[in-house]
Short mmCIF file of all heavy atoms in Angstrom, two decimals:
data_model
loop_
_atom_site.label_atom_id
_atom_site.label_comp_id
_atom_site.label_asym_id
_atom_site.label_seq_id
_atom_site.Cartn_x
_atom_site.Cartn_y
_atom_site.Cartn_z
N LYS A 30 -0.48 -11.36 -9.71
CA LYS A 30 -0.04 -12.19 -10.86
C LYS A 30 -0.28 -11.59 -12.20
O LYS A 30 -0.15 -12.15 -13.26
CB LYS A 30 -0.64 -13.62 -10.88
CG LYS A 30 -0.43 -14.32 -9.55
CD LYS A 30 1.06 -14.55 -9.23
CE LYS A 30 1.30 -15.40 -7.98
NZ LYS A 30 2.69 -15.56 -7.60
N ARG A 31 -0.68 -10.27 -12.22
CA ARG A 31 -0.81 -9.49 -13.48
C ARG A 31 -0.34 -8.08 -13.16
O ARG A 31 -0.36 -7.68 -11.96
CB ARG A 31 -2.24 -9.53 -13.97
CG ARG A 31 -3.23 -8.87 -13.03
CD ARG A 31 -4.64 -8.84 -13.60
NE ARG A 31 -5.27 -10.15 -13.57
CZ ARG A 31 -5.72 -10.86 -14.62
NH1 ARG A 31 -5.66 -10.29 -15.80
NH2 ARG A 31 -6.32 -12.01 -14.44
N GLN A 229 5.62 -14.40 -31.94
CA GLN A 229 4.88 -13.43 -31.12
C GLN A 229 3.93 -14.18 -30.24
O GLN A 229 3.19 -15.10 -30.56
CB GLN A 229 4.08 -12.47 -32.03
CG GLN A 229 3.40 -11.39 -31.23
CD GLN A 229 2.68 -10.40 -32.15
OE1 GLN A 229 2.68 -10.53 -33.39
NE2 GLN A 229 2.06 -9.33 -31.63
N GLY A 230 3.95 -13.82 -28.89
CA GLY A 230 3.06 -14.46 -27.95
C GLY A 230 3.68 -15.59 -27.10
O GLY A 230 3.03 -16.10 -26.20
N TYR A 323 3.00 -18.09 -22.61
CA TYR A 323 2.40 -18.39 -23.94
C TYR A 323 1.00 -17.71 -23.92
O TYR A 323 0.21 -18.10 -23.01
CB TYR A 323 2.28 -19.82 -24.12
CG TYR A 323 1.50 -20.23 -25.40
CD1 TYR A 323 1.90 -19.71 -26.64
CD2 TYR A 323 0.43 -21.12 -25.35
CE1 TYR A 323 1.16 -20.05 -27.78
CE2 TYR A 323 -0.26 -21.50 -26.47
CZ TYR A 323 0.09 -20.92 -27.69
OH TYR A 323 -0.57 -21.26 -28.84
N LYS A 324 0.81 -16.83 -24.88
CA LYS A 324 -0.56 -16.22 -25.02
C LYS A 324 -1.41 -17.17 -25.87
O LYS A 324 -1.29 -17.29 -27.03
CB LYS A 324 -0.45 -14.89 -25.67
CG LYS A 324 0.21 -13.83 -24.82
CD LYS A 324 0.16 -12.44 -25.43
CE LYS A 324 0.80 -11.39 -24.52
NZ LYS A 324 0.78 -10.02 -25.07
N VAL A 325 -2.26 -17.86 -25.15
CA VAL A 325 -3.12 -18.84 -25.78
C VAL A 325 -4.08 -18.24 -26.72
O VAL A 325 -4.30 -18.70 -27.87
CB VAL A 325 -3.83 -19.69 -24.75
CG1 VAL A 325 -4.78 -20.72 -25.37
CG2 VAL A 325 -2.93 -20.34 -23.73
N MET A 326 -4.60 -17.11 -26.35
CA MET A 326 -5.56 -16.32 -27.16
C MET A 326 -5.61 -15.02 -26.55
O MET A 326 -5.04 -14.73 -25.43
CB MET A 326 -6.95 -16.95 -27.20
CG MET A 326 -7.60 -17.11 -25.84
SD MET A 326 -9.24 -17.77 -25.86
CE MET A 326 -8.84 -19.50 -26.32
N PRO A 327 -6.22 -14.01 -27.24
CA PRO A 327 -6.33 -12.70 -26.57
C PRO A 327 -7.07 -12.78 -25.23
O PRO A 327 -8.08 -13.44 -25.08
CB PRO A 327 -7.21 -11.95 -27.61
CG PRO A 327 -6.89 -12.59 -28.88
CD PRO A 327 -6.72 -14.03 -28.61
N GLY A 328 -6.44 -12.17 -24.26
CA GLY A 328 -6.97 -12.26 -22.91
C GLY A 328 -6.68 -13.43 -22.10
O GLY A 328 -7.30 -13.65 -21.02
N MET A 329 -5.81 -14.36 -22.62
CA MET A 329 -5.45 -15.58 -21.91
C MET A 329 -4.03 -15.89 -22.03
O MET A 329 -3.55 -16.05 -23.18
CB MET A 329 -6.34 -16.76 -22.27
CG MET A 329 -6.07 -18.06 -21.52
SD MET A 329 -6.94 -19.46 -22.14
CE MET A 329 -8.63 -19.05 -21.70
N GLU A 330 -3.32 -16.07 -20.94
CA GLU A 330 -1.90 -16.35 -20.95
C GLU A 330 -1.56 -17.61 -20.03
O GLU A 330 -2.04 -17.58 -18.91
CB GLU A 330 -1.04 -15.17 -20.53
CG GLU A 330 0.43 -15.37 -20.65
CD GLU A 330 1.24 -14.12 -20.37
OE1 GLU A 330 1.14 -13.61 -19.24
OE2 GLU A 330 1.92 -13.59 -21.37
N LEU A 331 -0.79 -18.53 -20.55
CA LEU A 331 -0.36 -19.68 -19.79
C LEU A 331 1.14 -19.43 -19.39
O LEU A 331 1.94 -19.13 -20.21
CB LEU A 331 -0.54 -20.93 -20.59
CG LEU A 331 -0.09 -22.26 -19.89
CD1 LEU A 331 -0.94 -22.57 -18.67
CD2 LEU A 331 -0.10 -23.45 -20.87
N ARG A 332 1.41 -19.60 -18.09
CA ARG A 332 2.73 -19.42 -17.56
C ARG A 332 3.26 -20.60 -16.84
O ARG A 332 2.51 -21.30 -16.19
CB ARG A 332 2.78 -18.17 -16.65
CG ARG A 332 2.32 -16.93 -17.24
CD ARG A 332 2.15 -15.81 -16.17
NE ARG A 332 1.57 -14.59 -16.67
CZ ARG A 332 1.17 -13.57 -15.95
NH1 ARG A 332 1.27 -13.67 -14.63
NH2 ARG A 332 0.65 -12.51 -16.48
N GLN A 380 0.48 -21.29 -14.13
CA GLN A 380 -0.60 -20.22 -13.88
C GLN A 380 -1.29 -20.05 -15.27
O GLN A 380 -0.66 -20.03 -16.33
CB GLN A 380 0.08 -18.91 -13.55
CG GLN A 380 0.88 -18.92 -12.32
CD GLN A 380 1.66 -17.59 -12.07
OE1 GLN A 380 1.46 -16.66 -12.85
NE2 GLN A 380 2.59 -17.62 -11.09
N LEU A 381 -2.59 -19.88 -15.16
CA LEU A 381 -3.43 -19.45 -16.27
C LEU A 381 -4.07 -18.16 -15.89
O LEU A 381 -4.90 -18.05 -15.03
CB LEU A 381 -4.50 -20.54 -16.57
CG LEU A 381 -5.36 -20.31 -17.85
CD1 LEU A 381 -4.51 -20.26 -19.10
CD2 LEU A 381 -6.54 -21.25 -17.92
N VAL A 382 -3.66 -17.10 -16.56
CA VAL A 382 -4.01 -15.73 -16.23
C VAL A 382 -4.86 -15.17 -17.41
O VAL A 382 -4.34 -15.18 -18.56
CB VAL A 382 -2.83 -14.85 -15.99
CG1 VAL A 382 -3.25 -13.44 -15.55
CG2 VAL A 382 -1.99 -15.46 -14.90
N GLY A 383 -6.04 -14.74 -17.12
CA GLY A 383 -6.82 -14.24 -18.20
C GLY A 383 -7.94 -13.38 -17.79
O GLY A 383 -8.18 -13.07 -16.66
N SER A 384 -8.72 -12.92 -18.86
CA SER A 384 -9.79 -12.02 -18.67
C SER A 384 -10.91 -12.37 -19.64
O SER A 384 -10.65 -12.72 -20.81
CB SER A 384 -9.44 -10.53 -18.86
OG SER A 384 -8.48 -10.15 -17.94
N ILE A 385 -12.13 -12.37 -19.23
CA ILE A 385 -13.32 -12.42 -19.98
C ILE A 385 -14.17 -11.30 -19.64
O ILE A 385 -13.88 -10.59 -18.62
CB ILE A 385 -14.06 -13.72 -19.82
CG1 ILE A 385 -14.49 -13.94 -18.42
CG2 ILE A 385 -13.25 -14.97 -20.30
CD1 ILE A 385 -15.24 -15.22 -18.08
N PRO A 386 -15.22 -10.95 -20.34
CA PRO A 386 -16.06 -9.77 -20.00
C PRO A 386 -16.41 -9.79 -18.54
O PRO A 386 -17.00 -10.75 -18.00
CB PRO A 386 -17.24 -9.85 -20.91
CG PRO A 386 -16.71 -10.53 -22.13
CD PRO A 386 -15.69 -11.51 -21.66
N GLN A 387 -16.11 -8.76 -17.88
CA GLN A 387 -16.42 -8.52 -16.41
C GLN A 387 -15.61 -9.39 -15.43
O GLN A 387 -15.86 -9.22 -14.22
CB GLN A 387 -17.95 -8.65 -16.19
CG GLN A 387 -18.79 -7.74 -17.02
CD GLN A 387 -20.25 -7.99 -16.80
OE1 GLN A 387 -20.87 -8.86 -17.46
NE2 GLN A 387 -20.82 -7.22 -15.88
N VAL A 388 -14.76 -10.23 -15.85
CA VAL A 388 -14.10 -11.14 -14.93
C VAL A 388 -12.58 -11.19 -15.30
O VAL A 388 -12.22 -11.46 -16.49
CB VAL A 388 -14.64 -12.54 -14.95
CG1 VAL A 388 -13.84 -13.53 -14.07
CG2 VAL A 388 -16.11 -12.51 -14.47
N ASP A 389 -11.74 -10.98 -14.32
CA ASP A 389 -10.26 -11.37 -14.44
C ASP A 389 -10.06 -12.52 -13.52
O ASP A 389 -10.59 -12.62 -12.43
CB ASP A 389 -9.42 -10.12 -13.90
CG ASP A 389 -9.57 -8.89 -14.77
OD1 ASP A 389 -9.82 -9.04 -16.00
OD2 ASP A 389 -9.40 -7.81 -14.25
N TYR A 390 -9.25 -13.42 -14.03
CA TYR A 390 -9.03 -14.68 -13.20
C TYR A 390 -7.58 -15.15 -13.22
O TYR A 390 -6.78 -14.82 -14.19
CB TYR A 390 -9.94 -15.79 -13.74
CG TYR A 390 -9.63 -16.14 -15.23
CD1 TYR A 390 -8.67 -17.15 -15.44
CD2 TYR A 390 -10.36 -15.61 -16.26
CE1 TYR A 390 -8.42 -17.50 -16.82
CE2 TYR A 390 -10.04 -15.93 -17.57
CZ TYR A 390 -9.12 -16.90 -17.85
OH TYR A 390 -8.85 -17.24 -19.12
N VAL A 391 -7.21 -15.93 -12.28
CA VAL A 391 -5.94 -16.64 -12.17
C VAL A 391 -6.22 -18.05 -11.63
O VAL A 391 -6.89 -18.21 -10.62
CB VAL A 391 -4.93 -15.93 -11.15
CG1 VAL A 391 -3.64 -16.76 -11.13
CG2 VAL A 391 -4.67 -14.52 -11.62
N LEU A 392 -5.75 -19.00 -12.42
CA LEU A 392 -5.78 -20.45 -11.99
C LEU A 392 -4.43 -20.98 -11.95
O LEU A 392 -3.59 -20.58 -12.74
CB LEU A 392 -6.74 -21.22 -12.88
CG LEU A 392 -8.17 -20.79 -13.02
CD1 LEU A 392 -8.86 -21.58 -14.13
CD2 LEU A 392 -8.91 -20.93 -11.70
N GLN A 461 -8.31 -17.55 -8.35
CA GLN A 461 -8.80 -16.21 -7.85
C GLN A 461 -9.38 -15.57 -9.05
O GLN A 461 -8.90 -15.60 -10.13
CB GLN A 461 -7.61 -15.44 -7.28
CG GLN A 461 -8.03 -14.01 -6.71
CD GLN A 461 -6.84 -13.34 -5.99
OE1 GLN A 461 -6.32 -13.95 -5.03
NE2 GLN A 461 -6.56 -12.16 -6.43
N THR A 463 -11.79 -11.86 -10.14
CA THR A 463 -12.37 -10.59 -9.81
C THR A 463 -13.52 -10.28 -10.73
O THR A 463 -13.35 -10.26 -11.95
CB THR A 463 -11.30 -9.48 -9.89
OG1 THR A 463 -10.28 -9.76 -8.94
CG2 THR A 463 -11.89 -8.12 -9.54
#
Side-chain angles (χ1 to χ4, degrees):
K30 305 299 183 182
R31 65 177 75 237
Q229 186 176 2
Y323 174 54
K324 291 186 178 180
V325 180
M326 62 178 67
M329 179 184 292
E330 185 174 64
L331 180 64
R332 304 172 184 170
Q380 302 171 9
L381 184 65
V382 182
S384 300
I385 58 177
Q387 299 179 274
V388 175
D389 295 331
Y390 62 87
V391 178
L392 301 173
Q461 183 170 302
T463 299

